[in-house]
Structures are given as structure tokens and as C-alpha cells.
Amino acid sequence: MRLTRFFLPTLKENPSEAQIVSHRLMLRAGMIRQASAGIYSWLPLGFRVLKNIERIVREEQDKAGCQELLMPTIQSADLWKESGRYEDYGKEMLRIRDRHEREMLYGPTNEELITDIFRGAIKSYRDLPVLLYHIQWKFRDEVRPRFGVMRGREFLMKDSYSFDLDYEAAKRAYNKMFVSYLRTFARMGLRAIPMEAETGPIGGNLSHEFIILADTGESEVYCHRDYIDYDVLAEAIDYEADLEPMFEFWTRFYARTDEKHDQDVFEAEVPEDRRVHRRGIEVGHIFYFGTKYSAPLGASVSLPDDRQVPVHMGSYGIGVSRLVGAIIEASHDDAGIIWPESVAPFDVGLINLHRGDAGCDAACEDLYASLQAAGRAVLYDDREERAGAKFADMDLIGLPWQIIVGPRGVKSGQVELKNRATGERQELAMEAALARLLGVR
């Protein structure tokens, strides 16, 4: 994409309404614009990141054996009354009436609706287990929406739901999602630590939230350093195998947020040189809640002796839009965003320092064509702007690699290659720079 044709309304100054780094940088980088309090339009740069995150989430859910469907944003209030949860969300749940005076709501979550789908289709234990997921927009009417996409009113979520015959089978599904989440976040360049959590209005008696470390995080985090050092992607995973050992491996050490923290236990269980006390951001939450929804909603299956038993359920959420802000909070510097390569909106930023110079223009066109032909997403800064402005904008939007083409370098057959994360710069022949980028994925 040529920058002269790309809709990228960047800002030079920090917006006064933005209180945290991710909100400031997303506004300045032209990723989002506020439509109303806590509700944002996603502009092309931000939308590309959002779709990359969604792609990784979808790929890992599919690998774990989940099947994708799509549920509506507007739900019937009758289902929520049937489950007994209609009042639990209080004023956070947006309640509406249609033209026929039927009570409806803008879904803050989907346990009731997915259970209704299940009960209408599955009648026998032979059809279990079932793992379903969708990626959909949700709405929660926060009293004080703030921090941009980190705590907005409208947000994109991945929800998956498991249906099993008993606790043992349900725990296997829980373990699948537990491991899938570790891998999902690791693929995004994040170190997500699973921490024992409260179940809240979702309910249940087994729950973990996945926290990434960031200085601006909303929670205080206490954990063993091994959780940070371990490489989640080092080994392949067979989701049909017994994943309980991996679950036990990842829950063997102390890891709690301030809500469940016990300083005496922390000091007793974790050696002083392995203690981590930081701030963190929740990016995912998983729950096992047994028959909390299946019993009142009549989601039962028949056994060989014709007895009817309610299925055991779990739900598993990832904040897809929230992750965009969370990644920025965990990966930025004074100049702007530093995108991990897996989620970056473009792989490479190509900077023409002197548009109109025949040598620079020709070199940039060659590089642009070669990178595109090799499947790399390139943002080509072909604007008639001063070099400083081009450097500042490219650092602000945080693409992993920059190729800088100037008249002096072109004369000697060289370009400059910059790694955004490390700041390392190299002068290389054009062919060498291309080879370096084409070998990076």
C-alpha cells in the first residue's frame, strides 16, 4: 500500500482525553476514532491489526477442536430470565424493546444463547463432547468507559463454549482451552500468565484469567519468575492427548492478582530471587461452571438407561479488541508502538527519502514490487514530506522493519534496514536487504 493512498490520519500531539499509553498511541497512529463514549470506529491501520489478532485466535481455536459459528448481538431477554441471570448484570446490560414491545438486550455474553442452541440440537450422550466458538461484538454499558479500547462499552470478543457429560470430560475441555490460550498469546509475542480467578457473574467454581505484564496494567500481579522464562511454543501440542500434566505444570507455582493475593503464602512458596511483583492486564478468562446454565435451561442428554442428565459446561473468552491495546501497553517506547511481527498491520515500512529523485524512485519501486511479490505486506511512504516527518510517522505506527532509501545510498547501491524493536540499523546492498526481509517471518 502506498501511503499517499492509505487513509492514515496521524496526530502530532497527544490527545487530552487519552489517559494511558495505548489510547494515546492508537489515536495518534490513526488506528481508531471515538464515535461516542467508550465506542470507537476502527480505521484501516487499526482494523488490520484487529484482523491479524482475530486470525491467530481463530487458528488456535480450530487446532483445539472448536467449531466456529456466529450468534447475534441482540438477544431475547426471555432466555436470560429463564436462566435466572437477567438482573445479575444490573445497568451494565443494555435493555431494549422492539416495536412489538418484546424485551431484548444487547448481549454482554452468550452463555444463555449457546445453551439454547445446544438444547435444541443435542439429545444423546453419544453426540458429546461439543466445542463451539464465535467472534462477535458485545456491549456492556460501563459507568465510566475509559482507557480507549482497554475498557470500552463496545468490544470484540472470542467466546467458546464446551458441553460435556460429566466433570472429568469437562475438565479435559477446560485443559484444551487453557493450553490453547497459552499458545494464542505467545504467538502474539505476549507472555500470558494463568492466574486463579474469581468467577463473577459468569458463575462456576473453576476459573483462570490470563494476565500479561505491563507497567500500566490495572491489576497487581504476584508470581514465580518461571512463568515468564518458559517458552510456550517450544513443544508441539496434541489436543487429543491428556493435557492435565501441562495444566498442572502451569499451575504448580504461585500466580495471583491482588484480588486473591496472600503475602504470607507468596513469601513461603516463592524464593526471594524468583518473586515477581508487577502490574498486569487481563487478556483472557476461562470458566468451568458445571450445570449452572444447562440445568435451568433444560440442556440435557439421555444416557443408555434413558435417564436425562444436564450437561457440564464451560466458557472461554478472549478480548480480541482489548488485545490491540494490551499489546501496545506491553510493547512501545517513547517514539511509538512496537508491533510483534505476527500482528503488525504491515511487515515492512519502505521510506523514500527523496521522492522525485530518479534513483530513489526506481529503487523504491523495485523493492516495493519484490516484497509484494514475495507476499510481504508493505507500506510505502511515497509522500513529498521531509525525512524527519517520515521517520517519526514510521516509528509511531511501529512496523517491525523499515527500509530507508536515500540518494546517497542509491548511488553506492545500498539501502538502510532498521529493526523497530531493537533500533538496530544496517547499511546493506538492496539484494541483501531483500534477502534478510524475505527470510524473516
Side-chain angles (χ1 to χ4, degrees):
M1 176 63 69
R2 297 173 188 273
L3 194 46
T4 51
R5 299 177 187 171
F6 189 60
F7 184 60
L8 186 65
T10 58
L11 303 174
K12 289 185 171 61
E13 304 297 329
N14 285 324
S16 59
E17 72 271 24
Q19 301 175 30
I20 63 171
V21 169
S22 60
H23 193 190
R24 288 197 297 270
L25 290 177
M26 290 182 75
L27 288 169
R28 284 194 57 212
M31 295 179 66
I32 56 170
R33 286 294 182 267
Q34 182 170 302
S36 61
I39 300 175
Y40 293 88
S41 297
W42 289 79
L43 307 188
L45 191 78
F47 190 64
R48 290 176 73 99
V49 177
L50 191 68
K51 298 305 286 185
N52 283 337
I53 289 172
E54 186 179 329
R55 171 182 52 79
I56 292 172
V57 170
R58 180 174 282 112
E59 287 172 357
E60 291 300 321
Q61 289 293 289
D62 292 347
K63 288 177 185 176
C66 289
Q67 298 178 67
E68 187 173 8
L69 74 165
L70 184 63
M71 291 176 278
T73 56
I74 303 299
Q75 302 179 28
S76 168
D78 291 343
L79 276 174
W80 286 65
K81 291 177 180 178
E82 191 178 351
S83 74
R85 200 167 61 134
Y86 186 62
E87 301 299 333
D88 284 0
Y89 270 87
K91 292 183 178 180
E92 282 188 3
M93 188 158 65
L94 185 63
R95 295 162 170 84
I96 54 181
R97 289 179 182 268
D98 67 13
R99 66 172 63 200
H100 302 291
E101 290 300 307
R102 289 178 294 224
E103 291 182 288
M104 313 291 285
L105 57 93
Y106 194 135
T109 184
N110 284 76
E111 281 78 14
E112 282 80 3
L113 190 52
I114 195 70
T115 305
D116 182 52
I117 291 170
F118 176 91
R119 72 180 176 181
I122 302 297
K123 303 299 181 183
S124 169
Y125 76 97
R126 295 184 183 88
D127 297 320
L128 298 176
V130 174
L131 266 171
L132 301 170
Y133 80 98
H134 80 154
I135 298 175
Q136 179 62 289
W137 292 94
K138 300 188 184 302
F139 187 90
R140 294 176 189 170
D141 199 3
E142 295 275 355
V143 177
R144 297 181 186 84
R146 52 183 178 159
F147 304 153
V149 301
M150 294 288 290
R151 187 174 293 176
R153 293 195 295 163
E154 186 182 60
F155 50 94
L156 187 63
M157 282 283 294
K158 186 285 301 181
D159 301 270
S160 49
Y161 301 91
S162 60
F163 300 86
D164 291 279
L165 185 59
D166 52 29
Y167 171 78
E168 289 73 21
K171 185 58 166 61
R172 288 195 289 273
Y174 190 93
N175 291 346
K176 282 186 178 184
M177 290 298 101
F178 185 96
V179 173
S180 174
Y181 275 36
L182 290 172
R183 296 181 65 82
T184 297
F185 300 128
R187 284 186 59 189
M188 297 175 193
L190 300 172
R191 298 278 183 168
I193 304 167
M195 301 194 174
E196 185 181 339
E198 300 289 350
T199 57
I202 300 293
N205 55 11
L206 177 61
S207 175
H208 285 86
E209 56 187 348
F210 290 76
I211 303 286
I212 63 168
L213 301 182
D215 293 338
T216 51
E218 65 221 325
S219 304
E220 283 192 85
V221 171
Y222 302 82
C223 69
H224 196 292
R225 183 164 296 279
D226 281 13
Y227 286 124
I228 301 171
D229 296 339
Y230 186 72
D231 182 2
V232 176
L233 301 176
E235 56 182 293
I237 295 297
D238 178 3
Y239 282 103
E240 297 308 311
D242 180 9
L243 297 177
E244 184 67 20
M246 193 163 186
F247 174 82
E248 291 176 354
F249 176 85
W250 275 94
T251 56
R252 72 196 191 284
F253 291 135
Y254 190 98
R256 300 181 190 175
T257 64
D258 47 356
E259 288 183 339
K260 304 200 82 159
H261 174 61
D262 185 318
Q263 187 65 24
D264 292 336
V265 175
F266 182 52
E267 293 178 357
E269 292 186 0
V270 184
E272 186 172 359
D273 65 337
R274 305 302 289 167
R275 292 174 196 160
V276 174
H277 176 201
R278 295 271 303 278
R279 300 200 70 81
I281 298 169
E282 180 190 342
V283 290
H285 206 152
I286 63 177
F287 306 84
Y288 160 75
F289 40 69
T291 61
K292 176 180 171 66
Y293 300 95
S294 58
L297 289 169
S300 300
V301 293
S302 61
L303 298 178
D305 60 6
D306 292 331
R307 282 187 301 122
Q308 295 286 316
V309 294
V311 294
H312 287 242
M313 293 175 56
S315 73
Y316 317 89
I318 288 178
V320 176
S321 54
R322 179 182 175 86
L323 268 165
V324 180
I327 290 170
I328 295 172
E329 293 292 333
S331 185
H332 69 272
D333 60 16
D334 291 341
I337 303 164
I338 303 173
W339 289 117
E341 292 180 26
S342 59
V343 300
F346 295 92
D347 302 317
V348 184
L350 174 60
I351 304 174
N352 186 341
L353 292 183
H354 192 168
R355 182 181 171 183
D357 178 89
C360 286
D361 290 350
C364 285
E365 291 297 336
D366 286 346
L367 286 164
Y368 185 54
S370 296
L371 287 165
Q372 284 194 312
R376 294 295 187 266
V378 188
L379 184 62
Y380 173 22
D381 191 344
D382 58 341
R383 299 174 299 168
E384 291 182 359
E385 270 281 5
R386 58 187 178 83
K390 293 188 175 189
F391 290 144
D393 282 348
M394 202 60 77
D395 281 349
L396 172 63
I397 66 176
L399 307 185
W401 294 94
Q402 298 173 19
I403 302 182
I404 303 158
V405 181
R408 189 184 312 169
V410 166
K411 287 178 182 178
S412 61
Q414 292 190 314
V415 295
E416 187 174 45
L417 183 65
K418 177 182 174 180
N419 182 301
R420 178 67 181 89
T422 65
E424 178 189 4
R425 294 171 178 262
Q426 288 181 288
E427 288 192 358
L428 299 168
M430 188 188 302
E431 294 77 10
L434 272 174
R436 178 79 182 275
L437 288 170
L438 298 183
V440 173
R441 196 59 173 162

